[in-house]
Amino acid sequence: MQTLTVQHQKFLKKLNNQMFIILLLMVACFFTWSENVAITRGIKVVGRMGVMLSSILIYRKIIRYGSVNSLVYKNIFSPLLYIGYLTLGFISFSWSTNPGFSALQWFMTFQSFVFAYFFVKSLKILDIYFEGHQIRLYHLLGNTVFVLQLVFVIGMWVNPDVFFRLTDGGEEARLGGTMMNPNELGMLAGVGCACLIFDLYRFKNKVWTIVKILVIFYALFMTGSRSSLIGVLLIIFFHINQTKQKTLKFAIIAVVCAVAPFAVYSVILKGGDQERLEEVMSLTGRLPFWKALITEGLPREPLLGFGFMRIDYKEFFQSAHTYPGKMTHNTFMQVLMNLGFIGLTIVMFQVFFTVKSILSEQKELKLMLIGILIPIVINSFTEFGIFGESNYGIMFYQIIIFSVAFRNNDHLTRLQRITLRKKRPDLLISHSK
């Protein structure tokens, strides 16, 4: 039995590295690493296809090693309504104002959907058949975010022309460059902080984890993303209320009190500049744009919209008093414009059942999923969000959906019991009880 345990440890260590690599590559494939359109499309479509297939192979590897697919569905309305949203999006190709663009966006969203399905399913199978394993979603995702943010932190010093994006007429430099929208990069930082905080609970040596969080927080500050900063502060205060470790609680409060005033003044209040502050109050022009979308754009196609990820008959929507926009900068407004009131109804019920399912989970999973949900939902009100154009926020939301969609079926089939008897006889006794 000791030899078998060592074999499990070797297998799980290798598997942990492989799952980290494919998650890292999947998130990295959402970035625009090259200005060459062909290379970018190759990475985003072909690259993600390869990673998606890798997630299937990882799942099959776990099954072959010593487990069976004994998972059944729970909280079925959350994944079912999301499939309904994707189905309506697929049907909308027939009335889309640009079927090719709609199809490309839908395909990339479906890719991440399949990836999330097999990635989460692999973790759930490990929980059942490798009790005590150390592979955790928050650790994998937190380290993925740390590596990507570290690339940008190093890049901003090595090659600032590439890694910074000039905004407000060149007055402000924001981390992200042409590779990633600064607000999206800030949202990623929020997800990373939410995940790595759980390593503070788990590991005795917290120094390395704190270093990772500080690097991510520094990257977040340099993105200048107001919404993401608010999201991270909410996550931190959320964990302060949850933890019973007084030392950890006081340490977190001390760090927040030291950093928050400076961060809020510089990022949210923009250094007290009156003109910039007025711009912030209008959400940098988003409020008049949303008003124009509702009053001018929506009445043209109110029920079924303009097609998946389309907001007008033309490439850009523009009112007489707003800037031209290809997307709405609000994920729920995006659904309303591209799939109409029918699509928005499906989406609102889907979100409701997802949140309801999260709140019914056991404590650790519930806290982790809420932590991930906070930054991506905040981002959804000002950027691409969980139902917008293809971005890693959609994939994180899909991971959340499947994290609450599976449970173990204790009643194995005859074939499954035979399979376990051959591969894992040590498990047969526990499953027969």
Side-chain angles (χ1 to χ4, degrees), residues 206-221:
K206 305 182 191 308
V207 176
W208 179 229
T209 302
I210 292 173
V211 170
K212 292 179 185 177
I213 293 174
L214 289 175
V215 169
I216 293 174
F217 197 89
Y218 177 65
L220 167 62
F221 176 75

Side-chain angles (χ1 to χ4, degrees), residues 289-300:
F289 186 67
W290 294 341
K291 181 180 178 181
L293 281 170
I294 293 173
T295 58
E296 299 176 31
L298 182 61
R300 299 171 195 165

Side-chain angles (χ1 to χ4, degrees), residues 84-95 102-103 106 308 339:
Y85 158 72
L86 288 178
T87 302
L88 182 61
F90 182 81
I91 297 171
S92 76
F93 298 169
S94 61
W95 67 78
S102 293
W106 187 92
F308 195 73
L339 295 177

Side-chain angles (χ1 to χ4, degrees), residues 104-119:
L104 179 62
Q105 287 291 321
W106 187 92
F107 179 69
M108 290 192 291
T109 300
F110 184 73
Q111 274 184 327
S112 61
F113 183 74
V114 174
F115 172 85
Y117 173 82
F118 283 102
F119 194 83

Side-chain angles (χ1 to χ4, degrees), residues 45-312:
V45 179
V46 180
R48 271 185 271 186
M49 178 62 75
V51 179
M52 182 196 79
L53 294 174
S54 297
S55 70
I56 299 174
L57 293 176
I58 287 286
Y59 170 72
R60 294 302 307 164
K61 181 179 180 180
I62 297 171
I63 295 296
R64 286 196 306 270
Y65 179 84
S67 57
V68 293
N69 180 19
S70 58
L71 296 176
V72 293
Y73 291 102
K74 66 174 184 177
N75 301 320
I76 192 64
F77 287 113
S78 178
L80 201 60
L81 285 168
Y82 194 88
I83 292 171
Y85 158 72
L86 288 178
T87 302
L88 182 61
F90 182 81
I91 297 171
S92 76
F93 298 169
S94 61
W95 67 78
S96 173
T97 56
N98 187 337
F101 180 77
S102 293
L104 179 62
Q105 287 291 321
W106 187 92
F107 179 69
M108 290 192 291
T109 300
F110 184 73
Q111 274 184 327
S112 61
F113 183 74
V114 174
F115 172 85
Y117 173 82
F118 283 102
F119 194 83
V120 173
K121 205 170 185 181
S122 296
L123 291 170
K124 295 293 184 181
I125 290 291
L126 287 173
D127 289 341
I128 297 166
Y129 295 101
F130 297 90
E131 188 176 351
H133 75 92
Q134 296 300 307
I135 302 176
R136 295 288 182 270
L137 174 61
Y138 56 77
H139 186 68
L140 296 171
L141 190 51
N143 283 336
T144 292
V145 174
F146 168 69
V147 170
L148 291 170
Q149 297 286 0
L150 186 62
V151 169
F152 277 80
V153 169
I154 294 173
M156 64 180 275
W157 293 104
V158 175
N159 195 344
D161 292 337
V162 173
F163 286 87
F164 275 114
R165 175 182 298 192
L166 296 178
T167 60
D168 296 298
E171 293 182 3
E172 183 180 12
R174 301 179 64 186
L175 189 63
T178 58
M179 288 177 283
M180 181 52 65
N181 179 305
N183 291 326
E184 297 295 308
L185 190 63
M187 178 267 283
L188 184 65
V191 171
C193 288
C195 292
L196 287 176
I197 283 175
F198 281 90
D199 279 346
L200 289 177
Y201 298 142
R202 188 166 64 136
F203 295 140
K204 291 183 178 179
N205 186 0
K206 305 182 191 308
V207 176
W208 179 229
T209 302
I210 292 173
V211 170
K212 292 179 185 177
I213 293 174
L214 289 175
V215 169
I216 293 174
F217 197 89
Y218 177 65
L220 167 62
F221 176 75
M222 296 308 295
T223 65
S225 175
R226 296 178 290 270
S227 58
S228 300
L229 177 61
I230 292 170
V232 168
L233 292 177
L234 285 176
I235 291 167
I236 292 172
F237 284 118
F238 176 72
H239 279 280
I240 288 174
N241 289 330
Q242 297 298 323
T243 181
K244 294 180 180 178
Q245 300 179 33
K246 291 185 178 180
T247 305
L248 180 60
K249 181 179 288 190
F250 286 130
I252 293 174
I253 292 173
V255 171
V256 171
C257 289
V259 174
F262 176 71
V264 170
Y265 181 74
S266 300
V267 177
I268 297 178
L269 301 180
K270 295 299 181 183
D273 188 307
Q274 188 63 33
E275 291 184 6
R276 302 284 298 285
L277 196 55
E278 291 176 3
E279 183 184 322
V280 170
M281 296 306 293
S282 70
L283 297 181
T284 58
R286 288 177 175 85
L287 290 179
F289 186 67
W290 294 341
K291 181 180 178 181
L293 281 170
I294 293 173
T295 58
E296 299 176 31
L298 182 61
R300 299 171 195 165
E301 299 289 346
L303 287 180
L304 292 170
F306 297 94
F308 195 73
M309 294 306 137
R310 303 289 295 165
I311 66 171
D312 201 356

